[in-house]
Amino acid sequence: MRVDGDRTHLPLALALLYMLCIVYASLYPFIRWELPLPETPYWLFAPARFYRADFVVNFFAYLPFGLFVGLASRRYRLGWALVCGALLSLAMESCQWLMPPRSADLYDFFANTTGAAVGGIVAWSLAALSPLRDRLYRWRHLFLTGWLGDFGLALLVFWLAAQVNPGIPSFSIVFDPTVLAAVWPDKTIPFADARWSMLAEIVIGAFQISGIGLFAALLVRDRRHAVLTAIGIILAAFLLKNAAIWLTLNDVARVHYLGRTTTWIALALGFLLLYVFFTLSRPKVVTLCAVILLSSLLAPLLLPDLLFARVPPSLFNSHYAHLLHFDSLTRIILLGWPLAAGIWLFFLAGRPHWGASSDVY
């Protein structure tokens, strides 16, 4: 993929970030590393049992990785996707072999490698479609070019992807345990004060909405497109969250999540902050964006009940174990995203001629 003759590294940035997600999800919960007994065969040569659900999850988990690796390659897209997917899967399965809470077998390796290979085929097909490829080139040119723009867009993509966790309220970064009190009023929910939880959710949501909106706007080269880009990102996140709620939560939890007043208050405050901040100069917007995003982490840090709360499997229609891994992965993305965005904004502020009218917000 290129932009005006210059090769973009956006697929490579997506592949690197997605690889980190696979490593985290594969090694979670990072406990009980033990050497197997001497007579234990290596997992590649040990008997394995086929589980259809595990096979499907592993297949689709590695498909995006193969797609990104294939798009990042100029030649041999399928080959690179297959090799990188196989090596990553081999490393992760070998690590899981040393972790008693996890398991490793040949079927998982085959599913992972097949998913990466299919992703490489999709990448090859997309690269062969000239009209689509040219349209993607023009779309990429609307944003900051170079490594800085590539990683900024990759960060934004992963923030959007994390919004599909339905257990975490819209535009929040932690699970609100008071949800359980509304869903199951007969049970005692250990939490200090529901009022503080609601206030924290509103503050986090407003800061996330305004911070993400400013971050998206700073990626756009032409200021005329900044407002629509910010609104589009926020709207896309809202729609993804509600779609995930409809598809995965049980009936009682779904009604409560869709009717949360705190979400609408956070949206109103977030858009109000955006309206004020869009009138400021770009250097001030960069600083404010970093401060707001990092400030959104204060509420969870000040309220440990929120920071360590986990989404219970009983909220979902299915009690499949991979839901817990997905919840942990998206939580770590949402908690670490403001820090990664702050580092990106630091490099943006130090970019030579970053205030020039031809390449600024």
Side-chain angles (χ1 to χ4, degrees):
M1 298 178 69
R2 296 174 297 178
V3 177
D4 288 357
D6 296 328
R7 183 175 175 80
T8 176
H9 298 284
L10 177 58
L12 180 58
L14 291 170
L16 291 174
L17 292 178
Y18 195 81
M19 183 182 68
L20 293 178
C21 292
I22 290 179
V23 171
Y24 181 90
S26 299
L27 303 185
Y28 178 83
F30 306 98
I31 58 174
R32 290 182 59 191
W33 290 75
E34 299 177 4
L35 289 175
L37 297 175
E39 64 274 11
T40 304
Y42 188 55
W43 64 270
L44 271 176
F45 312 108
R49 295 185 62 182
F50 178 80
Y51 295 96
R52 184 175 60 182
D54 283 347
F55 189 91
V56 172
V57 168
N58 288 323
F59 174 87
F60 284 103
Y62 272 71
L63 193 151
F65 179 70
L67 172 64
F68 298 147
V69 171
L71 290 176
S73 309
R74 293 191 180 185
R75 301 174 61 187
Y76 310 115
R77 299 180 188 273
L78 175 57
W80 278 111
L82 179 63
V83 170
C84 291
L87 290 177
L88 180 60
S89 179
L90 181 66
M92 292 301 98
E93 295 295 324
S94 298
C95 290
Q96 290 181 345
W97 185 58
L98 303 175
M99 301 174 66
R102 306 302 299 268
S103 62
D105 61 60
L106 189 60
Y107 286 116
D108 288 350
F109 174 75
F110 181 72
N112 297 337
T113 305
T114 305
V118 172
I121 294 175
V122 175
W124 176 82
S125 302
L126 292 176
L129 298 175
S130 298
L132 177 61
R133 185 178 66 245
D134 294 341
R135 184 175 299 179
L136 290 175
Y137 294 164
R138 291 193 296 269
W139 171 84
R140 177 63 185 88
H141 189 58
L142 297 175
F143 301 91
L144 292 177
T145 57
W147 275 99
L148 194 61
D150 293 332
F151 271 95
L153 285 171
L155 286 175
L156 200 58
V157 168
F158 275 81
W159 179 83
L160 273 175
Q163 302 307 306
V164 299
N165 183 347
I168 298 178
S170 299
F171 305 108
S172 184
I173 56 179
V174 290
F175 171 67
D176 180 8
T178 59
V179 170
L180 301 179
V183 177
W184 294 289
D186 297 335
K187 295 184 179 181
T188 301
I189 308 301
F191 188 76
D193 195 330
R195 293 172 298 179
W196 285 109
S197 175
M198 294 178 62
L199 179 61
E201 183 178 335
I202 292 173
V203 171
I204 293 173
F207 281 2
Q208 282 279 301
I209 292 168
S210 56
I212 293 295
L214 292 178
F215 186 91
L218 288 168
L219 277 167
V220 181
R221 300 180 65 182
D222 192 336
R223 184 168 184 168
R224 292 172 298 179
H225 302 144
V227 175
L228 288 179
T229 301
I231 295 176
I233 291 297
I234 295 170
L235 179 60
F238 184 76
L239 293 177
L240 280 174
K241 178 70 70 175
N242 283 273
I245 290 173
W246 272 104
L247 293 173
T248 61
L249 294 187
N250 60 49
D251 294 338
V252 178
R254 185 187 306 130
V255 171
H256 178 74
Y257 269 85
L258 294 176
R260 293 179 69 83
T261 306
T262 51
T263 299
W264 298 105
I265 297 176
L267 274 170
L269 291 177
F271 278 118
L272 179 62
L273 291 175
L274 277 177
Y275 176 78
V276 174
F277 295 155
F278 273 137
T279 63
L280 303 176
S281 62
R282 188 172 184 269
K284 294 179 181 178
V285 169
V286 173
T287 304
L288 276 172
C289 182
V291 171
I292 288 173
L293 287 174
L294 293 175
S295 297
S296 66
L297 294 174
L298 291 179
L301 293 177
L302 295 176
L303 295 173
D305 290 331
L306 291 179
L307 184 62
F308 297 105
R310 296 292 186 271
V311 179
S314 52
L315 287 181
F316 297 93
N317 288 324
S318 172
H319 297 279
Y320 192 54
H322 279 286
L323 290 173
L324 300 179
H325 301 153
F326 176 74
D327 173 65
S328 177
L329 174 62
T330 51
R331 286 182 71 259
I332 201 65
I333 291 176
L334 293 173
L335 287 171
W337 200 91
L339 298 176
I343 296 174
W344 184 87
L345 290 166
F346 174 81
F347 283 101
L348 177 65
R351 180 172 177 162
H353 309 298
W354 69 285
S357 59
S358 61
D359 194 29
V360 298
Y361 161 73

